[in-house]
Amino acid sequence: AKATGGAISFYGGKTIHTFTNTATFTTPDSFSETVEYVVVGGGGGGGAEENSTGSGGGGAGAYRTGTAPIGSSQNFTVQIGAGGAGGNIGGGANPNSNLDGIAGTSSFFGPPITAPGGGFGAGQITSGGPGGSGGGGKQGNSGGPATGGSFPGTIGPSPTSGYGSAGGSGISSPPISGGGGGGGAGAAGVNGTSSKAGFGGAGIQVPTTFRDPAQSFGAPGPTSNWITGGDNSGKYWFAGGGGGGASGNSPPAIGKGGAYDGTSEIPGGPWSGAGDGVSGNVNNGENALTNTGSGGGGAGAVSHGATAGGTDGGQGGSGIVLIAYPT
């Protein structure tokens, strides 16, 4: 390798540095390359549910990709954003509101190339939090806004803000109150309804440079690929929105993580490592997978209008940084 830092692999005539923890990318005196990168912020945590309605799913961290010239004798800090904790009905997850999830934190490759973390899923009767992608809302409140730009449906360089989408709105309406799905880098979260919670927005598959069959980074995604420039391997997906939670013990009512492509629901899932929401008060919202930057699932409630009986939100997934240059 011409540089040091992260886990190093070789594929397609490129050297790939994979950072799953904060470290340093160091270039020697002879280094002068235009590197290709993917930077994904940490995903937001899903909201907790104390009693009668479903909570919002966490938003995905921003997904940023492009190229940059890097010269000799450089020491770049590579920071991996943390996934936000899910809301906690036992208290203490958030110093201001223990039911809301916590936003993810930013990842960066050198301070100029930054991907913000995802917004929190609402657990209080509030809107979802803002972030790279916004978190899902709860009980008649909107999803959080996104700082990232809208994904055009074609794999390629992102805007400097990265890609991100808004979270879906929540609803309080019998027989089932659904929390909004968290926004994903590829599509917005879906609004909750009186029959089910909102699905989380889809993630994005990385460029071909990084699709090394020998590597295991990323998470499963749809094989019927709706992205131009993607493939049908079902691998290398990141930054999906967490599914919303639902009131009532009805499993079909849950919001699936990372499973809405902007036009329709993607069968199967959860995709891109995002957490599914839950229904009822038996299980907590599902955690997102580490190093995917995806949002955690929203929590459920025992039934619409109940005064007690809820669960905790799922944790957002930590981010990742990938750097490649010619071998």
Side-chain angles (χ1 to χ4, degrees):
K2 299 175 185 176
T4 61
I8 299 173
S9 58
F10 304 91
Y11 172 68
K14 299 291 182 71
T15 301
I16 301 171
H17 295 247
T18 301
F19 292 85
T20 56
N21 296 288
T22 298
T24 303
F25 180 72
T26 301
T27 66
D29 292 345
S30 58
F31 193 91
S32 179
E33 300 286 352
T34 295
V35 305
E36 184 175 359
Y37 61 82
V38 172
V39 182
V40 184
E49 179 48 66
E50 208 165 32
N51 41 55
S52 65
T53 61
S55 293
Y63 173 97
R64 187 171 175 184
T65 185
T67 59
I70 301 295
S72 62
S73 303
Q74 301 293 314
N75 289 285
F76 288 109
T77 298
V78 178
Q79 175 175 290
I80 303 303
N88 183 351
I89 59 174
N94 184 320
N96 301 311
S97 165
N98 64 333
L99 296 180
D100 288 341
I102 292 178
T105 60
S106 298
S107 296
F108 63 75
F109 163 41
I113 303 174
T114 301
F120 66 81
Q124 302 281 20
I125 304 175
T126 59
S127 298
S133 287
K138 176 180 176 177
Q139 198 164 330
N141 288 274
S142 64
T147 61
S150 296
F151 178 57
T154 300
I155 292 175
S158 68
T160 56
S161 60
Y163 290 127
S165 309
S169 301
I171 192 171
S172 177
S173 179
I176 291 172
S177 295
V190 179
N191 297 337
T193 72
S194 59
S195 61
K196 65 179 180 179
F199 279 33
I204 297 176
Q205 193 178 39
V206 293
T208 55
T209 295
F210 301 99
R211 296 181 213 160
D212 178 0
Q215 299 302 312
S216 59
F217 52 67
T223 55
S224 54
N225 202 331
W226 55 276
I227 292 178
T228 302
D231 64 32
N232 61 0
S233 67
K235 297 176 67 176
Y236 322 112
W237 288 77
F238 295 87
S247 64
N249 190 20
S250 176
I254 68 171
K256 300 294 291 183
Y260 181 72
D261 65 10
T263 301
S264 58
E265 295 174 355
I266 308 171
W271 301 125
S272 302
D276 279 349
V278 294
S279 63
N281 68 330
V282 177
N283 299 310
N284 294 328
E286 190 175 62
N287 295 335
L289 298 182
T290 59
N291 299 122
T292 63
S294 294
V302 60
S303 65
H304 178 83
T307 58
T311 58
D312 294 341
Q315 170 137 352
S318 52
I320 195 168
V321 172
L322 306 172
I323 301 169
Y325 52 82
T327 298

